[in-house]
């Protein structure tokens, strides 16, 4: 009899010192994979859906342990993709965690400017940058010949 996808994954699990169930199946970008009904799927999703429940639509599984090949169900939590990215060490997460601009001004209240692209800017530094640009432009000689 053919083994279920869950059995195939669990046969290839090694428990590490941190309690993670590390799956030794084929990896892509650190995530273990298993074939289910002719399709390749992430092993942590297969284990979660077999042992816990379906992953709600629009959500993804976050590895609370931060170990990509861990398939232990209580190390996995369904969250939005944004929440998953913000919990990690992504560029977006690092920027979202910043509370002050490089000059030390807070990213709060009247000093916070949200630019059209959705990024945060310090109003004090933005104002200084605009003033410097205006001064530089007004002190530039008119090389075009028009008076």
């Amino acid at each position: 009899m053919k083994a279920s996808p869950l059995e195939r994954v669990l046969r290839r699990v090694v428990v590490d010192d941190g309690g993670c169930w590390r799956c030794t199946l084929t990896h892509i970008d650190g995530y273990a994979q298993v074939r289910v009904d002719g399709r390749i799927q992430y092993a942590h999703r297969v284990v979660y859906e077999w042992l816990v429940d379906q992953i709600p639509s629009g959500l993804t599984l976050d590895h609370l342990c931060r170990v990509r090949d861990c398939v232990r169900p209580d190390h996995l939590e369904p969250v939005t993709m944004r929440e998953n990215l913000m919990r990690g060490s992504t560029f977006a997460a690092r920027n979202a965690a910043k509370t002050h601009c490089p000059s030390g001004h807070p990213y709060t209240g009247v000093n916070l400017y949200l630019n059209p692209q959705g990024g945060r800017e310090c109003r004090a530094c933005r104002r200084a940058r605009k003033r410097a640009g205006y001064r530089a432009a007004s002190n530039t000689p008119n090389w075009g010949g028009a008076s």
Side-chain angles (χ1 to χ4, degrees), residues 30-82:
Y31 295 98
Q33 297 185 326
V34 62
R35 187 177 298 277
V36 179
D37 296 329
R39 291 182 32 212
I40 300 292
Q41 294 188 22
Y42 288 121
H44 63 283
R45 294 178 62 89
V46 170
V47 172
Y48 187 89
E49 290 184 342
W50 276 69
L51 297 180
V52 180
D53 199 0
Q54 287 294 110
I55 301 165
S57 179
L59 299 184
T60 187
L61 290 179
D62 182 21
H63 288 84
L64 300 174
C65 56
R66 312 308 319 151
V67 178
R68 289 181 174 187
D69 62 358
C70 178
V71 296
R72 183 172 168 173
D74 60 341
H75 286 197
L76 304 169
E77 180 183 16
V79 296
T80 64
M81 182 59 77
R82 177 172 172 70

Side-chain angles (χ1 to χ4, degrees), residues 67-142:
V67 178
R68 289 181 174 187
D69 62 358
C70 178
V71 296
R72 183 172 168 173
D74 60 341
H75 286 197
L76 304 169
E77 180 183 16
V79 296
T80 64
M81 182 59 77
R82 177 172 172 70
E83 178 69 21
N84 195 355
L85 291 172
M86 290 298 129
R87 288 179 175 180
S89 59
T90 63
F91 179 73
R94 287 190 301 273
N95 277 332
K98 292 177 183 174
T99 59
H100 290 73
C101 77
S103 297
H105 305 118
Y107 282 132
T108 58
V110 296
N111 192 50
L112 177 62
Y113 172 73
L114 296 176
N115 66 32
Q117 292 76 34
R120 299 179 303 165
E121 290 183 38
C122 166
R123 282 191 188 270
C125 292
R126 185 173 191 273
R127 191 177 314 114
R129 199 171 48 253
K130 295 270 187 193
R131 282 185 184 144
Y134 177 77
R135 281 191 201 108
S138 63
N139 289 336
T140 304
N142 183 355

